[in-house]
Amino acid sequence: MPPVTYLDAIRQALVEEMDRDPAVLLMGEDIGVYGGAFKATAGLLERFGWERVIDTPISETAIVGAAVGMSYLGLRPVAEMQFIDFIACTFNQITNFVAKSHYRWGAPVPIVIRGPAGGGVHGSAFHSANPEMYFVHTPGLKVVYPATAYDAKGLLKSAIRDNNPVLFFEHKFLYRRIKEELPEKDYTVPIGQAIVRRPGRDLSIVTYAAMVHASLEAAEQLAREGIEAEVVDLRTLLPLDRETIIESVRRTSKLLVVHEDTRTGGIAGEIAALVTESAFEDLDGPIRRVTSLDTPVPFSPPLEEHFLPNAARIAEAARDLARY
Amino acid sequence: MKSDPAPQELTHEEALELYYYMRLNRSLDELLVRLFRQNKIVGGLYGSLGQEATSVGTAYALAEGDWIAPLIRNVGSLLVHGYKPRDIMTQYMARVTSPTQGKDGTCHFGDLKTHHVVSPISMLGDLIPVMTGVAMAGRYLGQKIVAMTWIGDGGTSTGAFHEGMNFAAVQRAPLVVVLENNQWAYSTPVNRQAPLRDFADRARAYGITSYTVDGNDLVAVLRIAREAVDSARQGHGPVLIEAKNMRMLGHAQHDPAEYVPREMFEYWKARDPLSRYENYLNQHKLWDEKEKAAIHARIERELAADLEFAENSPFPPPELAEEGVYCNGCHIIEAQWRRPKDELMPPKSSVKPEWTIENFGAMETGAAPAADRTQPQGSAVESAIVHATHTDRKRKITAPASRRAR
């Protein structure tokens, strides 16, 4: 089997789930005839027809709202945000209607809201954001953000089969830049489980999405200098896999959290609190973080490169931490 | 606004049943006010005084299996749709026996499996896209259902209202939206929401059918609602009904509504929907004193029993606060298919992914409302409508089940 890109892995997951279950259908802007802004749904209208691949008006609140109503009758809609930045337009529907539905009156909302997130493609302030933490702060939602093609496919299948609302963040920088061979047979990746991408004894780098790759690159450089960094890919941000984080910190005694999201209120703060609560005595140094700047995502390449974390900055912070 | 309808519109049984719901709605409201004054209600109490005919008449037009999403003042709609006074009492009293077990209050409750009621949230407008989805899913599954929801005059100012109405219109979803124009959005009069005499005019922007009806005339409301529900069920797209009435109390019990001109209350009090319906029944000799007394006695009995139940119900255990954020091993809603699934699966589902564009958008073709235009071949609606029509030819649309069957 030829290697599959992160983007094709997403399309494969959609096709296979729609083939498996006619209750699965898609809604979004320009997803049908056009096949999606990034072609994630290319060919799906042709295969599944007008009723299952629905081109909508520019109405994020209507897209998510209608998905909720469909799920109440037993359907499994997957709603696309053309860019995940536009999820802000349906913030109320997600945080108030979707997230609280099961808690308030016992009505599960098995929907998936997916879309391209993240920077590095010079998309500027409205096509590059990482708004995941608005939703990680919202009980009732699940938030996943895969870093590999294998996980993208397996997690999207899990998300569609989950009985809870899942926000599925796709990193657009990874869409066509990474590829790997995938199993021919149906598989899923469980929501809520982090994975150790690279074992190491000297410090733990906890990260997710595109920063997994930057962290692995940094870890290679560090290894040449004699520092063995363990890289933990969170994969799911809500619910957070606390055990895997704590276990890694117990092994290495040092924690560096890396994310592309902005600094203040990013998940690094939550993880730092978690580790000081649960593994304070295992720490041999301060908890450090490498993140984007607390600014909107800037446009011009030198500005965006300055804004984003990268392997060099991760390695620098890791070296500093390793000295403790 | 239309004049009084012919009496033969209602059967004797329907006429009495409607009176039962009208009177029950009013009596339950009065009882809740007493409970509020006795400090037995937790939080605010939102009245439906003066709006009973709109709630009862619209919901009464629906059939078994249809879905509703009422707002907090649509107590009458909940009663018609099968909920009991005890459900509303226990909700307001925050007891564990309430439909939400105390997780939420007021009329913020629902049930997917039996009652087909979607709970409202406090952010107005959000129910319209949600019920659009309910209507679309019903059609997708081959069910012949109609979804109905309510919105106030103030709620139509939201973006969610617009997005939902527009999407429902584009999709020709079997949705009936009852726009309850009760003159006030909290303390703000309707002319500060939109400079429209009739809010039904909003329907023109969506190219859909609309009605304006005297919301205090129960029989007129029912007649219009039945027409709207039939039209939606037949696949003609969503319908907007503006029912004009008056919120006869403040926004909630804490609000004395001093901003409402006294004469305005008097004007509407003279048009009280319950008195008008009693007059209608008298005028058309649809009941006698004995039947009236029997309904009153039944309501008194039921309310007393339900109040006893509510007052004897415990508050929820504190630990319940931790449960139910996620659906883990909870009951699952299974899709109820009423059409062959293979129609939606390859190879049968396969289509040519091309738009059919009529007239290329030229100006000289005139501006017909979207609903009047032939649906483009490539629309999501087209196949659904074709499907519905196709099925109709073979299988008659099931007549609405009788209310009494509930």
Side-chain angles (χ1 to χ4, degrees), chain B residues 353-379:
Chain B
E354 279 177 11
W355 296 122
T356 303
I357 306 296
E358 289 184 354
N359 307 322
F360 302 144
M363 284 181 69
E364 62 266 24
T365 57
D372 298 344
R373 273 186 234 136
T374 313
Q375 287 295 319
Q377 198 173 7
S379 85

Side-chain angles (χ1 to χ4, degrees), chain A residues 220-265:
Chain A
E220 289 302 310
Q221 174 60 36
L222 292 164
R224 286 193 284 276
E225 302 166 20
I227 300 167
E228 290 298 331
E230 179 153 301
V231 177
V232 176
D233 176 1
L234 291 170
R235 305 199 285 190
T236 297
L237 303 180
L238 184 66
L240 195 59
D241 181 353
R242 295 168 184 195
E243 289 71 28
T244 300
I245 298 168
I246 300 293
E247 277 168 22
S248 178
V249 171
R250 290 211 166 115
R251 274 195 296 276
T252 66
S253 303
K254 283 162 191 167
L255 173 61
L256 173 65
V257 188
V258 177
H259 56 66
E260 192 188 305
D261 187 12
T262 51
R263 193 171 188 82
T264 305

Side-chain angles (χ1 to χ4, degrees), chain A residues 22 47 50 92 103-104 141 164, chain B residues 104 126 140 321 326-327 349 378:
Chain A
R47 182 174 178 83
W50 303 106
N92 180 51
Y103 185 78
R104 290 195 310 112
L141 303 176
N164 297 282
Chain B
D104 204 343
D126 276 16
Y140 183 80
Y326 293 96
C327 165
S349 61

Side-chain angles (χ1 to χ4, degrees), chain A residues 48-70:
Chain A
F48 294 107
W50 303 106
E51 283 189 85
R52 296 187 72 188
V53 182
I54 302 171
D55 275 309
T56 68
I58 304 173
S59 301
E60 284 78 12
T61 288
I63 294 168
V64 172
V68 176
M70 289 177 170

Side-chain angles (χ1 to χ4, degrees), chain B residues 4-71:
Chain B
D4 271 357
Q8 61 267 29
E9 263 190 278
L10 300 178
T11 68
H12 179 66
E13 276 172 314
E14 284 174 335
L16 293 183
E17 192 179 37
L18 282 163
Y19 181 72
Y20 165 77
Y21 286 123
M22 288 288 287
R23 185 63 247 184
L24 181 61
N25 188 167
R26 177 70 55 91
S27 297
L28 175 56
D29 249 39
E30 290 166 353
L31 173 62
L32 290 169
V33 171
R34 284 203 300 281
L35 291 173
F36 184 86
R37 289 176 183 157
Q38 293 164 6
N39 236 354
K40 287 177 179 170
I41 277 177
V42 179
L45 172 64
Y46 303 84
S48 56
L49 185 68
Q51 300 180 228
E52 298 92 340
T54 303
S55 288
V56 170
T58 48
Y60 200 83
L62 295 169
E64 197 79 39
D66 287 342
W67 284 68
I68 65 167
L71 296 182

Side-chain angles (χ1 to χ4, degrees), chain B residues 208-282:
Chain B
I208 64 169
T209 307
S210 69
Y211 299 91
T212 298
V213 64
D214 177 350
N216 282 4
D217 181 343
L218 176 66
V219 184
V221 169
L222 176 60
R223 183 196 320 121
I224 296 298
R226 279 179 167 162
E227 206 173 306
V229 166
D230 283 351
S231 167
R233 202 185 304 281
Q234 282 166 32
H236 301 310
V239 182
L240 181 69
I241 302 172
E242 181 194 11
K244 291 183 196 285
N245 59 22
M246 170 72 182
R247 193 192 75 203
M248 293 300 281
L249 296 167
H251 174 65
Q253 275 293 310
H254 67 268
D255 168 21
E258 283 158 345
Y259 45 81
V260 178
R262 185 166 299 277
E263 302 74 25
M264 188 169 182
F265 276 132
E266 282 160 13
Y267 173 90
W268 284 95
K269 197 173 179 193
R271 288 155 181 80
D272 175 62
L274 184 62
S275 309
R276 279 174 73 181
Y277 187 54
E278 286 177 347
N279 290 342
Y280 174 87
L281 294 174
N282 290 337

